[in-house]
Amino acid sequence: MTHRPLWIGTSFKMNKTRAQSVAYATRLRSELGGGVPGVRAFVIPPATALAEVSLALEGAPVRTGVQNAHWADGGAWTGELSVPQAADAGARIVEIGHSERRAHFAETDGTVRLKVGAVLRHGLTPLVCCGESAEVFARGGSVEHVLRQVEAAFAGLSGTRGDEGLGRALIAYEPVWAIGEHGREPRPEDVAPVHEALAAEWGDRVGGVLYGGSVTPGNAADLLRVPGVGGLFVGRAAWDVEGFLELLRVGRRHAGAMA
Ligand SMILES: O=C[C@H](O)COP(=O)(O)O
């Protein structure tokens, strides 16, 4: 049986200068050489550093991405960034619908769907974030909540894995209660039901389903063993490049064990 490569990546969120981002990329490039067997690495720096980081990683086995993009190709949208602009700066991945954007910047299922359409239209990979609040988790509504978010994100799109359309998309399941410095580290059994449901509904239709939220080198192997988890999307633990390299090593060991 062949296994799909694991996707392991990080978003710097609103952190790092251009110089810090490029230093990170340069170190990553020199450490990774030809790549990490069984793993597809990606880095999503702040937009200010995207072009330089993409150049620093040109030809290296690391994709770059952008943390958000507008659905229009251009126009009077002050403060926004379009998918063609992100692609021009080297992005191959566009993160969409992170819970911080849903909570603080009025991102809705409707705007997520528009953005997914724009990203696919331009041949990039949408990385669609989904996840339930602590309240929804506590009342046992996680699976229903997440499936509804993902259904809305991909409404009307079709395709199978490997296709040029939806098959290129990635899903990141990031329970809101697990994200960030106030998040709670999940137990594998906390996130297993949603991953099982996502694998059943979407596993054959998208490029991969990642887990995100309080991932560390210490819990990464256990989280990768949750059925349906096809990678990790990491914040804090990967902001130091040594942490990211350690997570990539965990991914390589997991991929090797599954081969
Ligand atoms: O984008 C990444 C996620 O929001 C996870 O963040 P975290 O690893 O710092 O909890």
Side-chain angles (χ1 to χ4, degrees), residues 155-235:
L157 296 168
S158 61
T160 54
R161 172 154 44 105
D163 274 7
E164 274 307 290
L166 183 56
R168 205 168 50 234
L170 300 172
I171 297 170
Y173 169 47
E174 300 206 318
V176 178
W177 49 265
I179 293 175
E181 59 179 320
H182 303 298
R184 172 173 78 74
E185 184 177 331
R187 297 168 302 176
E189 59 267 36
D190 292 331
V191 301
V194 169
H195 275 290
E196 186 185 341
L198 286 172
E201 283 292 320
W202 295 98
D204 286 336
R205 290 195 270 171
V206 299
V209 181
L210 287 62
Y211 170 77
S214 287
V215 173
T216 67
N219 64 20
D222 287 342
L223 289 164
L224 284 172
R225 278 193 288 270
V226 172
V229 172
L232 301 169
F233 190 31
V234 189

Side-chain angles (χ1 to χ4, degrees), residues 1 9 21 25 29 49 69 73 90 104 109 118 134-135 152 158 166 180 187 216 224 230 251:
M1 180 174 174
S21 300
R29 180 184 189 113
D73 288 358
H104 306 302
D109 286 342
E135 293 70 27
S158 61
L166 183 56
R187 297 168 302 176
T216 67
L224 284 172

